[in-house]
Amino acid sequence: MSYIEVKDGSKLSVPSNPTIGYIEGDGIGADISKTTIQVINAALETAYRDERSIEWKKILAGDEAMESTGKHLPQESLDELKQCIVALKGPLTTPIGEGFRSLNVTLRQYFDLYANIRPVRYFPGVPSPVVAPEKVNMVIFRENTEDVYSGIEWRYDSPEAKKLRGFLNTEFGVKLTDDTGIGIKPIGRFKSTRLVRKALQFAVENNRKSVTLVHKGNIMKFTEGAFKEWGYQVAESEFKSKIVREEDYLRDPAAYKDKIVVKDRITDNMFQQVLTRTDEYDVIATTNLNGDYLSDAIAAQVGGIGLAPGGNVGDIHAIFEAVHGTAPKYAGMDVANPTSLLLSGSMMLTYIGWKEASDILERAIMESYKDRKVTQDVARLMNIKPLKCSEFGLEVMKRMTRPQE
Ligand code: NAP
């Protein structure tokens, strides 16, 4: 087996037939993973003939792992993921009562996958609830490791909550009633800065027009407000020659036409801006909770999360995953839509530098939607006959061509 290696501490060295891990996933995971792997293999074949391929290594997690090892996420699987560096992941059921809240959160924390990256754009033909979905072309960078998702919270009647209420009262004069549960929202400079840095790097490398810092800093000044301040600081200290602040840009747009505009928006305003001024937003960098809400809301504009890909990316390790869950009622029926996982696979190919295959895959998916070859979730909105998951995969494969063909 040839594994991806890390050179100079941060660069990936990808062999021509890397071993890449995949977690099949629970529920519909088996169906969508099977189709996705077939389709990605076809994209590689179209792009590179037999010069490049992926050796897929199945990594156990979720219900399947529980059955064979007694654990939802055995150490061996974590070790394998570590060795592979890059992996593709189907959806996992959130197990109840194993000392952590979700396998997804565990994976993100274990590998310090601090950026949740969600590209959202419109595929012609897909039914949408908005008038101009084609204006959506955004990439959301959501901080993945802190904020209110850190799990630092106590029930109102716990001894910890009581103690904390007492401490707040005696030390700071903050009076909370006895029926108050308490959660803590940590937002730090290091973690905010590295997330915004990643968003800015992406914007520079992909010639994007703007980076918007989304925050609720008018109310939460020292967490959300600090995120915004640290965001501007990293932009101005590390990307000075590439960026311009919005207020300067607006004074003289022509003078700064080649620069990336860095701006900020308060979260509630941003929710309306993405609907009313859609094409003014491009790359978005935001805190964990804002990003969670905002990414699904933007995905809804182009047809919903069934079509939205995602990647959890750290400095080196990356896990690309379907954004939706296990949809248990469709498990084993071969009817689920594999698009989210397919597009996540496309992000993965770009991440390892195999952009040709990624482009072929995305074009073929787009053509399938244009030709109204779709699974039941989309077909029912179009009032047309649906394809099975595997049939959709075949239609995508039929539409794969090299650019010059
Ligand atoms: P869900 O699995 O995303 O499913 C909700 C509904 O969305 C489905 O009933 C179906 O809608 C539609 N849907 C989702 N994916 C689809 C696909 N690929 N093709 C067609 N339709 C799709 O959300 P949930 O029911 O809230 O969660 C179920 C389990 O998944 C939970 O254990 C949850 O913790 C887990 N989950 C895992 C992840 C992850 O691993 N990243 C993410 C979210 C949730 P219709 O019924 O309208 O057809």
Side-chain angles (χ1 to χ4, degrees):
M1 288 191 189
S2 346
Y3 286 98
I4 295 174
E5 288 177 14
V6 181
K7 293 268 158 70
D8 307 327
S10 65
K11 287 198 186 78
L12 294 186
S13 163
V14 182
S16 57
N17 64 332
T19 299
I20 289 188
Y22 76 97
I23 292 174
E24 195 172 81
D26 300 323
I28 55 173
D31 286 341
I32 60 172
S33 293
K34 188 169 162 216
T35 294
T36 297
I37 286 176
Q38 274 174 359
V39 174
I40 291 180
N41 286 344
L44 296 175
E45 166 104 31
T46 308
Y48 310 119
R49 308 294 184 222
D50 51 5
E51 280 164 24
R52 285 184 194 174
S53 61
I54 290 175
E55 189 163 330
W56 295 98
K57 182 178 178 57
K58 183 169 175 176
I59 295 175
L60 283 183
D63 295 344
E64 207 183 359
M66 187 67 187
E67 272 163 35
S68 57
T69 69
K71 288 206 159 117
H72 281 101
L73 191 55
Q75 185 59 43
E76 195 185 340
S77 298
L78 291 169
D79 295 342
E80 286 170 345
L81 284 167
K82 190 168 181 194
Q83 190 165 32
C84 289
I85 297 179
V86 172
L88 189 62
K89 177 188 149 298
L92 292 171
T93 310
T94 302
I96 296 159
E98 262 204 30
F100 51 77
R101 290 191 297 180
S102 139
L103 292 175
N104 300 309
V105 173
T106 306
L107 284 170
R108 290 169 196 178
Q109 287 178 349
Y110 188 87
F111 291 107
D112 197 20
L113 307 174
Y114 59 83
N116 179 266
I117 306 174
R118 292 251 216 120
V120 190
R121 69 192 160 101
Y122 181 61
F123 283 0
V126 176
S128 152
V130 298
V131 177
E134 67 284 353
K135 288 187 175 173
V136 178
N137 185 357
M138 300 180 213
V139 184
I140 301 137
F141 284 70
R142 163 188 166 196
E143 207 292 326
N144 225 0
T145 61
E146 57 177 2
D147 201 351
V148 286
Y149 287 71
S150 306
I152 313 171
E153 58 174 8
W154 292 280
R155 240 178 90 107
Y156 75 98
D157 56 356
S158 64
E160 292 86 353
K162 190 174 175 203
K163 196 168 177 182
L164 200 47
R165 284 193 303 262
F167 178 81
L168 290 172
N169 190 7
T170 51
E171 295 296 316
F172 302 117
V174 174
K175 293 190 194 323
L176 298 172
T177 54
D178 291 350
D179 58 358
T180 308
I182 300 180
I184 292 194
K185 178 181 174 76
I187 303 268
R189 181 197 287 267
F190 171 76
K191 290 186 172 181
S192 300
T193 301
R194 68 179 178 174
L195 184 275
V196 178
R197 180 184 295 119
K198 216 178 215 0
L200 287 159
Q201 269 162 354
F202 173 86
V204 169
E205 284 163 14
N206 294 279
N207 299 318
R208 305 292 295 218
K209 295 190 298 282
S210 68
V211 174
T212 305
L213 307 168
V214 177
H215 62 92
K216 188 71 187 164
N218 54 330
I219 304 295
M220 293 169 273
K221 298 186 192 327
F222 308 119
T223 50
E224 297 271 333
F227 174 86
K228 176 190 80 169
E229 293 307 323
W230 292 325
Y232 277 121
Q233 280 170 19
V234 67
E236 281 168 348
S237 61
E238 296 180 26
F239 297 85
K240 198 164 182 40
S241 64
K242 310 272 184 205
I243 62 118
V244 57
R245 280 178 82 124
E246 185 181 38
E247 55 268 33
D248 297 328
Y249 173 78
L250 290 176
R251 267 196 294 274
D252 189 357
Y256 299 109
K257 65 180 183 355
D258 298 327
K259 304 277 185 197
I260 295 165
V261 181
V262 178
K263 49 192 169 183
D264 75 275
R265 295 290 181 272
I266 292 174
T267 315
D268 39 348
N269 178 29
M270 188 64 177
F271 272 86
Q272 68 138 355
Q273 294 275 309
V274 293
L275 289 164
T276 55
R277 292 175 171 261
T278 311
D279 50 8
E280 291 180 22
Y281 296 97
D282 188 358
V283 176
I284 293 169
T286 189
T287 52
N288 205 338
L289 181 63
N290 288 332
D292 195 2
Y293 296 161
L294 195 57
S295 50
D296 276 20
I298 298 172
Q301 286 182 241
V302 298
I305 56 169
L307 281 74
N312 294 300
V313 181
D315 284 330
I316 294 166
H317 286 274
I319 299 180
F320 296 88
E321 66 176 1
V323 163
H324 56 74
T326 60
K329 72 182 189 193
Y330 297 131
M333 293 166 66
D334 192 23
V335 297
N337 188 348
T339 304
S340 175
L341 194 59
L342 279 168
L343 291 173
S344 304
S346 170
M347 286 176 77
M348 183 191 81
L349 293 173
T350 301
Y351 187 73
I352 64 170
W354 293 7
K355 186 84 176 71
E356 305 80 5
S358 161
D359 288 346
I360 287 169
L361 176 55
E362 290 198 13
R363 267 201 314 273
I365 295 172
M366 205 173 268
E367 290 300 320
S368 303
Y369 278 99
K370 226 189 262 168
D371 296 342
R372 296 161 71 87
K373 300 289 179 193
V374 295
T375 45
Q376 56 89 20
D377 51 325
V378 181
R380 71 185 181 222
L381 302 174
M382 294 174 160
N383 229 352
I384 59 172
K385 190 170 171 284
L387 297 178
K388 296 226 168 236
C389 173
S390 52
E391 291 169 339
F392 175 75
L394 292 173
E395 293 294 338
V396 174
M397 287 193 272
K398 270 197 231 164
R399 287 166 176 74
M400 285 180 179
T401 50
R402 287 178 160 215
Q404 69 273 23
E405 284 168 2

